[in-house]
């Protein structure tokens, strides 16, 4: 029987794509058969979560845990099968996830840029119609502004 006793990040780094939860001594421990093992950063040292999908990306990472002289290894694949691990992990990463509001703000900005580009293009076509003395096209384009 394996359970997570404690999961606290040493620090968190977030970029456009990922939330990286960096682990260190005394911040992560598991209980295996009623024995507490402390995380030691000799192999895997971070948990990488996709900000958009909210899924752990580095499932192949291996983490070391120590009790006295005994060291055991757990893969990320094994850890994510533990419900308490995933719950704690997502509570830590939650403030860094891309939210619908952020996506809506980006979409609104894109929409404004697109509208501005359309206006610039219409003005360019109006100039072209004037240069070519094409009154019909000029009048149609002016109505679009």
């Amino acid at each position: 029987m394996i359970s997570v006793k404690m999961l606290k990040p040493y620090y968190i780094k977030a970029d456009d794509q990922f939330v990286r939860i960096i682990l260190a001594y005394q911040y992560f421990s598991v209980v295996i058969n009623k024995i507490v093992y402390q995380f030691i950063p000799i192999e895997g040292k971070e948990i990488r979560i996709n900000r958009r999908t909210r899924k752990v990306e580095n499932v192949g990472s291996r983490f070391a845990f120590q009790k006295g002289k005994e060291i055991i290894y757990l893969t990320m694949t094994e850890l994510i099968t533990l419900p308490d691990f995933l719950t704690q992990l997502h509570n830590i990463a939650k403030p860094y996830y891309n939210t619908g509001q952020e996506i809506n703000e980006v979409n609104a900005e894109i929409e404004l840029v697109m509208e501005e580009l359309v206006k610039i293009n219409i003005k360019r076509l109006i100039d072209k119609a004037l240069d070519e003395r094409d009154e019909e096209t000029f009048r149609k384009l002016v109505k679009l502004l």
Side-chain angles (χ1 to χ4, degrees):
M1 175 79 188
I2 302 173
S3 65
V4 175
K5 180 175 177 160
M6 176 179 58
L7 175 61
K8 291 183 180 177
Y10 179 62
Y11 65 94
I12 298 171
K13 291 192 307 188
D15 58 31
D16 291 343
Q17 252 187 317
F18 299 108
V19 176
R20 288 176 164 72
I21 298 170
I22 312 302
L23 305 169
Y25 293 104
Q26 302 174 352
Y27 289 88
F28 185 17
S29 59
V30 294
V31 178
I32 302 171
N33 298 325
K34 299 181 183 177
I35 300 171
V36 177
Y37 291 83
Q38 295 293 323
F39 169 77
I40 53 174
I42 59 174
E43 283 201 28
K45 298 175 183 122
E46 79 170 15
I47 301 167
R48 191 174 63 247
I49 302 172
N50 185 303
R51 289 181 74 189
R52 187 180 52 79
T53 64
R54 302 177 183 191
K55 291 188 178 181
V56 175
E57 294 277 326
N58 59 327
V59 292
S61 294
R62 207 166 80 137
F63 298 88
F65 296 88
Q66 182 176 29
K67 172 70 174 178
K69 292 184 179 184
E70 182 183 6
I71 296 176
I72 60 151
Y73 295 91
L74 294 173
T75 64
M76 180 59 74
T77 305
E78 292 172 304
L79 288 169
I80 61 177
T81 63
L82 307 173
D84 52 339
F85 176 77
L86 281 178
T87 301
Q88 289 182 52
L89 188 62
H90 287 299
N91 283 337
I92 291 166
K94 193 178 199 174
Y96 301 92
Y97 288 151
N98 288 341
T99 63
Q101 181 181 355
E102 287 175 346
I103 292 168
N104 287 341
E105 288 172 6
V106 169
N107 286 342
E109 286 180 41
I110 290 170
E111 195 66 36
L112 287 172
V113 169
M114 292 295 289
E115 287 175 16
E116 188 62 31
L117 288 172
V118 167
K119 285 180 183 177
I120 290 169
N121 195 40
I122 290 171
K123 289 176 182 177
R124 185 186 59 77
L125 291 171
I126 288 172
D127 286 344
K128 182 181 175 195
L130 286 172
D131 289 344
E132 295 174 355
R133 300 192 182 277
D134 184 350
E135 187 177 341
E136 183 182 335
T137 303
F138 170 80
R139 291 185 186 282
K140 286 180 185 175
L141 291 169
V142 169
K143 288 179 184 177
L144 295 176
L145 290 179

